[in-house]
Amino acid sequence: MLNSEYKDDALKVYLSGEIDHNRAANIRTSIDARINALRPKTLELDFSKVTFMDSSGIGLIMGRYRSVGLVGGALKVTNVPPRIEKIIELSGISSLGVLG
């Protein structure tokens, strides 16, 4: 179960632990259900408690970028630990302007 809060048309999801292939699928399903139900103007993914992320995490971010965009919203990725930020930058996601 993911912790999240919805306030002022913004959905903030607090990610934690490891984001790998097995866990990313469950996270995607959970976030997409909330996006479809709430149709937020902003989806914020808070990475402050993420300890590990592989390429599945990149797919998770890109997919939520598309999902929230389909309902007219924008993605923001916040509180990214330095080692995970480096992975995000190498993937090219930072060029989308989602890091905040």
Side-chain angles (χ1 to χ4, degrees):
M1 187 76 157
L2 291 174
N3 289 326
S4 66
E5 61 186 22
Y6 182 70
K7 182 179 175 185
D8 300 326
D9 284 330
L11 174 61
K12 185 171 185 176
V13 179
Y14 299 91
L15 302 170
S16 63
E18 296 184 0
I19 300 177
D20 57 15
H21 177 73
N22 294 326
R23 192 140 178 266
N26 292 332
I27 295 169
R28 279 194 304 269
T29 302
S30 180
I31 294 173
D32 284 350
R34 292 175 191 169
I35 289 170
N36 291 328
L38 301 170
R39 303 178 70 79
K41 297 256 187 249
T42 304
L43 169 63
E44 180 179 345
L45 301 178
D46 184 307
F47 274 74
S48 59
K49 295 190 179 184
V50 174
T51 57
F52 171 82
M53 184 179 87
D54 64 13
S55 61
S56 300
I58 299 302
L60 174 76
I61 294 169
M62 288 302 300
R64 287 348 84 212
Y65 177 80
R66 283 187 226 104
S67 294
V68 76
L70 289 173
V71 299
L75 176 67
K76 201 161 99 172
V77 178
T78 60
N79 301 316
V80 180
R83 68 184 166 279
I84 294 173
E85 186 172 0
K86 186 170 185 160
I87 294 167
I88 291 172
E89 288 174 1
L90 288 171
S91 74
I93 289 177
S94 57
S95 66
L96 298 174
V98 299
L99 289 177

